């Protein structure tokens, strides 16, 4: 691999550290199955379509960093829809069956429906429709739900961190109201973007009092709340272990009020551990990224807004796929280069997080969640 460090804005900004993947000498037709060094298949592609967002969630884009002087990517740097579609097709030929659009806030990307329409036409290597979904803060969802559905989106995940309006406004830090998110969710449900999942990042001392109210609000609605442990992604959110509320505690608190029982995972590699209400009023999920590493089953790869590939949410360096997409290489050459990158993958940061030396080595260099998507 040749290393290219592109000095576009600020060399301290690790968004731009990347290596250009090399093209293998022997090219193989993609077989729909590629595995990394731990035999983990490539199953799930997350595509960030913008690094911008209209929220400033305290755990993701704190205002003091993402202020008016912060340099977001210029439009000319972004992958075009045609480039994203081509990349998606190549990934599908390597075994990807699920694509999630994310960001930043994906609904801020102009004409996102057009991209959804292009991706919805892709079939998996075994001829099934792609599982195409999107994660959003729902600020534009009421306006866009119908057109997204018409474009072929299967379902959405919505982020909402509290039922209490004052707590939520403090967490999104742009004074956005809970009622407006709920309106987005209702509209998405009405147009058939289901099943809807609601993601709540739990920060001890900030919104953990909202765990039970969230469960109370959504049980019986068909909507699954997923409680996510606050993670040490990026370098700007001042993560502290004592602000992580373990998922076992989330389950204990809900079970005390609404008794729960465990449910089997839908498939190997599912990030959420599933629980259902014993009275049959639905289920919840907990994502224990910090207290219970699931690297052993991690089949996810991430594509940034300007075409860098990241093998792990906690990576410090990406692979410059855009250089290949714009370099005149054939589909076969690019898919073989991607396969080679995946085959060399060793990532397992969450399994090593408890080692202070590992944490320290990456502390200032991890990519931001708003850049790479959740
Ligand atoms: N803006 C969209 C949204 O909020 O749904 C999509 C992008 S956002 C980066 C994707 C997910 O990452 C959201 O559900 C968000 O709550 C989650 N997230 C961001 N920072 C996090 C952190 N430090 N720990 C855990 N989850 C985080
Ligand atoms: Fe924006 Fe989503 Fe990050 Fe909140 S979590 S700041 S909505 S990208
Ligand atoms: Fe996957 Fe990296 Fe998270 Fe482990 S730490 S589950 S390898 S994204």
């Amino acid at each position: 691999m040749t290393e290219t460090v592109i000095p576009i804005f600020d060399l301290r900004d690790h968004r731009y550290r990347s290596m250009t993947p090399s093209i293998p000498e022997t090219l193989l037709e993609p077989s729909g199955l590629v595995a990394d060094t731990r035999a983990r298949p490539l199953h799930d592609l997350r595509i960030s379509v913008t690094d911008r967002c209209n929220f400033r969630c305290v755990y993701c884009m704190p205002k003091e960093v993402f202020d008016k002087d912060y340099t977001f990517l210029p439009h000319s740097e972004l992958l075009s829809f045609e480039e994203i579609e081509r990349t998606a097709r190549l990934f599908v030929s390597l075994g990807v069956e699920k694509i999630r659009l994310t960001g930043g806030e994906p609904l801020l990307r102009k004409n996102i429906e057009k991209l959804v329409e292009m991706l919805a036409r892709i079939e998996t290597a075994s001829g099934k429709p792609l599982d195409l979904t999107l994660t959003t803060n729902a600020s534009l969802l009421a306006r866009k739900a119908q057109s997204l559905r018409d474009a072929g989106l299967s379902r959405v995940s919505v982020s909402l961190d509290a039922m209490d309006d004052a707590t939520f406004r403090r967490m999104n830090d742009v004074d956005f109201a809970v009622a407006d998110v709920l309106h987005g969710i209702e509209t998405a449900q009405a147009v058939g973007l289901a099943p809807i999942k609601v993601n709540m990042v739990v920060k001890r001392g900030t919104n953990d009092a909202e765990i039970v109210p969230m469960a109370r609000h959504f049980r019986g609605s068909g909507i699954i709340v997923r409680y996510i442990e606050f993670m040490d992604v990026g370098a700007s959110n001042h993560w502290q272990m004592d602000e992580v509320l373990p998922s076992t505690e989330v389950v204990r608190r809900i079970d005390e009020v609404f008794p729960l029982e465990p449910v089997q995972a839908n498939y190997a590699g599912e990030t959420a551990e599933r629980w259902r209400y014993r009275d049959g009023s639905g289920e919840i999920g907990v994502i224990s990224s910090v207290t219970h590493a699931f690297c052993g089953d991690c089949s996810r790869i991430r594509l940034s807004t300007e075409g860098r590939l990241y093998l792990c949410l906690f990576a410090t360096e990406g692979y410059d796929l855009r250089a290949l997409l714009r370099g005149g290489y054939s589909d076969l050459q690019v898919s073989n280069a991607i396969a080679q990158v995946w085959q060399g993958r060793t990532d397992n940061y969450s399994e090593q997080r408890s080692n202070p030396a590992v944490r320290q080595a990456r502390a200032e260099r991890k990519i931001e969640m708003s850049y790479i998507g959740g």
Side-chain angles (χ1 to χ4, degrees):
M1 313 258 165
T2 47
E3 172 147 357
T4 50
V5 180
I6 305 174
I8 303 176
F9 303 114
D10 181 351
L11 278 173
R12 285 167 305 169
D13 189 333
H14 289 279
R15 283 182 307 185
Y16 304 105
R17 278 191 72 84
S18 65
M19 294 175 275
T20 307
S22 52
I23 311 284
E25 271 178 25
T26 311
L27 299 178
L28 302 173
E29 278 301 325
S31 66
L33 187 69
V34 56
D36 72 5
T37 59
R38 292 177 63 172
R40 297 173 293 191
L42 174 54
H43 177 78
D44 184 333
L45 171 65
R46 304 196 171 189
I47 303 176
S48 173
V49 293
T50 177
D51 59 342
R52 290 162 202 255
C53 186
N54 52 349
F55 282 17
R56 285 292 175 273
C57 301
V58 290
Y59 51 77
C60 179
M61 296 182 82
K63 261 184 181 165
E64 71 273 15
V65 176
F66 296 87
D67 58 10
K68 63 177 185 6
D69 297 324
Y70 186 83
T71 318
F72 291 98
L73 292 165
H75 197 262
S76 57
E77 292 291 316
L78 310 191
L79 289 189
S80 67
F81 287 173
E82 288 70 24
E83 287 169 327
I84 294 176
E85 189 208 21
R86 179 180 176 209
T87 306
R89 284 188 189 279
L90 298 180
F91 271 100
V92 165
S93 75
L94 294 169
V96 161
E97 299 193 333
K98 181 173 168 184
I99 292 186
R100 178 178 295 279
L101 299 179
T102 178
E105 174 45 44
L107 298 188
L108 291 181
R109 178 83 185 246
K110 210 169 156 209
N111 299 326
I112 184 75
E113 299 86 344
K114 178 75 198 144
L115 176 64
V116 168
E117 199 182 309
M118 291 160 81
L119 297 178
R121 286 195 215 114
I122 302 176
E123 285 190 343
T124 67
S126 55
K128 289 186 292 200
L130 203 60
D131 181 4
L132 180 61
T133 178
L134 176 149
T135 304
T136 175
N137 63 23
S139 54
L140 299 170
L141 190 56
R143 225 181 297 164
K144 287 187 171 265
Q146 186 67 59
S147 56
L148 288 167
R149 179 74 183 139
D150 294 345
L153 190 70
S154 327
R155 55 199 178 82
V156 285
S157 297
V158 172
S159 303
L160 175 64
D161 297 320
M163 291 310 302
D164 174 65
D165 201 49
T167 307
F168 182 58
R169 285 177 194 257
R170 263 198 310 279
M171 285 189 82
N172 63 56
D173 216 7
V174 292
D175 217 21
F176 201 82
V178 170
D180 292 334
V181 175
L182 295 179
H183 180 47
I185 293 174
E186 281 152 23
T187 314
Q189 222 178 4
V191 304
L193 284 171
I196 295 176
K197 290 176 183 154
V198 168
N199 291 337
M200 170 181 175
V201 175
V202 180
K203 265 190 96 178
R204 191 199 287 275
T206 301
N207 67 337
D208 58 313
E210 292 298 305
I211 291 169
V212 172
M214 288 281 286
R216 181 176 292 116
H217 182 87
F218 287 106
R219 60 197 281 278
S221 68
I223 291 170
I224 300 167
V225 181
R226 299 193 310 175
Y227 298 87
I228 306 175
E229 288 176 354
F230 174 40
M231 289 186 281
D232 52 335
V233 270
S236 62
N237 68 8
H238 306 297
W239 182 86
Q240 305 255 24
M241 187 64 205
D242 61 10
E243 287 179 318
V244 177
L245 188 88
S247 294
T248 46
E249 175 64 14
V250 171
V251 171
R252 193 195 63 72
R253 289 193 196 180
I254 298 173
D255 181 60
E256 232 171 56
V257 187
F258 307 115
L260 292 169
E261 61 192 10
V263 187
Q264 272 231 308
N266 282 319
Y267 55 89
E270 192 172 32
T271 48
E273 187 188 299
R274 299 168 63 201
W275 294 81
R276 71 174 155 241
Y277 297 109
R278 286 180 190 266
D279 68 2
S281 57
E283 68 175 76
I284 61 149
V286 288
I287 302 184
S288 320
S289 336
V290 178
T291 61
H292 189 235
F294 38 77
C295 301
D297 283 329
C298 180
S299 54
R300 289 177 294 284
I301 194 164
R302 294 173 161 87
L303 178 68
S304 77
T305 316
E306 35 40 318
R308 306 273 194 266
L309 281 180
Y310 290 90
L311 301 178
C312 176
L313 194 48
F314 302 91
T316 54
E317 215 160 306
Y319 293 86
D320 186 3
L321 188 65
R322 192 182 63 183
L324 301 190
L325 295 172
R326 296 185 181 172
Y329 295 99
S330 69
D331 284 356
L332 191 61
Q333 287 175 310
V334 181
S335 63
N336 272 263
I338 297 171
Q340 184 167 269
V341 164
W342 185 262
Q343 281 159 346
R345 177 179 185 248
T346 55
D347 299 70
N348 66 340
Y349 175 78
S350 286
E351 290 175 349
Q352 304 181 68
R353 178 187 284 108
S354 55
N355 179 343
V358 172
R359 274 214 310 278
Q360 190 54 37
R362 297 203 188 194
E364 298 297 317
R365 304 172 52 225
K366 284 178 289 171
I367 44 164
E368 294 295 328
M369 188 78 148
S370 56
Y371 165 66
I372 197 65

